[in-house]
Amino acid sequence: MSVVFTDAGYLIANLDDRDPLHERAQAAAAKLGLFRIVTTQMVITEVLNYVSRGR
């Protein structure tokens, strides 16, 4: 299993199907197969701030 460091852009693109990078993020995840995500608290904070805005 691969270990991948991710940033907020990747996580947000995977969560939001309207994000311009959504398809690329999905394709990257499919190409990697099963993998573990490593990130930072600051990245999680950015993602939570994004999600809290709503659609």
Side-chain angles (χ1 to χ4, degrees):
M1 178 184 327
S2 299
V3 177
V4 179
F5 179 82
T6 62
D7 65 355
Y10 171 79
L11 295 173
I12 291 168
N14 268 302
L15 291 171
D16 187 355
D17 58 359
R18 296 176 302 151
D19 189 287
L21 297 175
H22 178 75
E23 288 182 23
R24 290 182 70 184
Q26 294 284 302
K31 186 175 181 179
L32 284 168
L34 187 60
F35 64 98
R36 288 181 56 186
I37 292 176
V38 176
T39 195
T40 66
Q41 288 179 319
M42 200 60 217
V43 169
I44 298 299
T45 301
E46 284 184 63
V47 173
L48 291 174
N49 282 333
Y50 179 83
V51 172
S52 72
R53 289 187 230 152
R55 287 189 161 203

